[in-house]
Amino acid sequence: MNWIILIIAGLFEVGFASCLGKVKETSGTTMYLWFGGFLVCLTISMLLLIKATQTLPIGTAYAVWTGIGAVGTVVMGILVFKDPVSFWRMFFICTLIGSVIGLKAVSH
C-alpha cells in the first residue's frame, strides 16, 4: 500500500512542477491560480511522501519519488511545454525508469 502512496506522491510532484511551468507562462489571476495549484500539489505530495516513509526506507522512497517526478515532468514538458525530444534524453529517461523499477525490486 505504501508503494501506491509513494507513486501518488510522485504524481503530485509532477503536478507541482507543471504548475510552476504554467506560472512562468501566465500573468494576473491565471498566474495566481496556477500558483495555488502548485501549493496544493506540493502539500499533498509532501504529506504522502511522509506517510510512505513511515514504512519504506527513506533513501529508497526519496529516490523513487524524485524519479517519478523527474520522468513525469520530462513527459509533461514534452507534451505540454513543447520541450525538445532527443535520443539521448529519452535514453537517460529510460535508464532512470529502470533504476526506479530496480529499487522497487530489491526493497523488502
Side-chain angles (χ1 to χ4, degrees):
M1 181 65 181
N2 282 317
W3 281 100
I4 294 170
I5 291 171
L6 185 60
I7 291 168
I8 295 168
L11 294 174
F12 274 100
E13 183 186 3
V14 175
F16 76 72
S18 299
C19 285
L20 273 181
K22 294 302 277 185
V23 165
K24 185 177 77 170
E25 292 181 348
T26 57
S27 62
T29 304
T30 306
M31 179 189 71
Y32 291 113
L33 290 172
W34 281 111
F35 188 72
F38 162 78
L39 292 175
V40 169
C41 288
L42 176 66
T43 302
I44 293 170
S45 183
M46 291 298 160
L47 290 173
L48 292 174
L49 179 61
I50 290 167
K51 176 69 176 158
T53 58
Q54 290 174 348
T55 58
L56 299 173
I58 186 69
T60 300
Y62 185 73
V64 170
W65 178 74
T66 57
I68 292 168
V71 170
T73 303
V74 168
V75 170
M76 285 295 291
I78 291 168
L79 297 176
V80 175
F81 300 107
K82 308 299 184 224
D83 289 350
V85 179
S86 69
F87 169 79
W88 288 111
R89 190 169 192 198
M90 298 314 296
F91 172 78
F92 288 116
I93 289 298
C94 289
T95 61
L96 183 57
I97 293 168
S99 297
V100 168
I101 293 168
L103 281 171
K104 166 68 172 111
V106 300
S107 294
H108 301 306

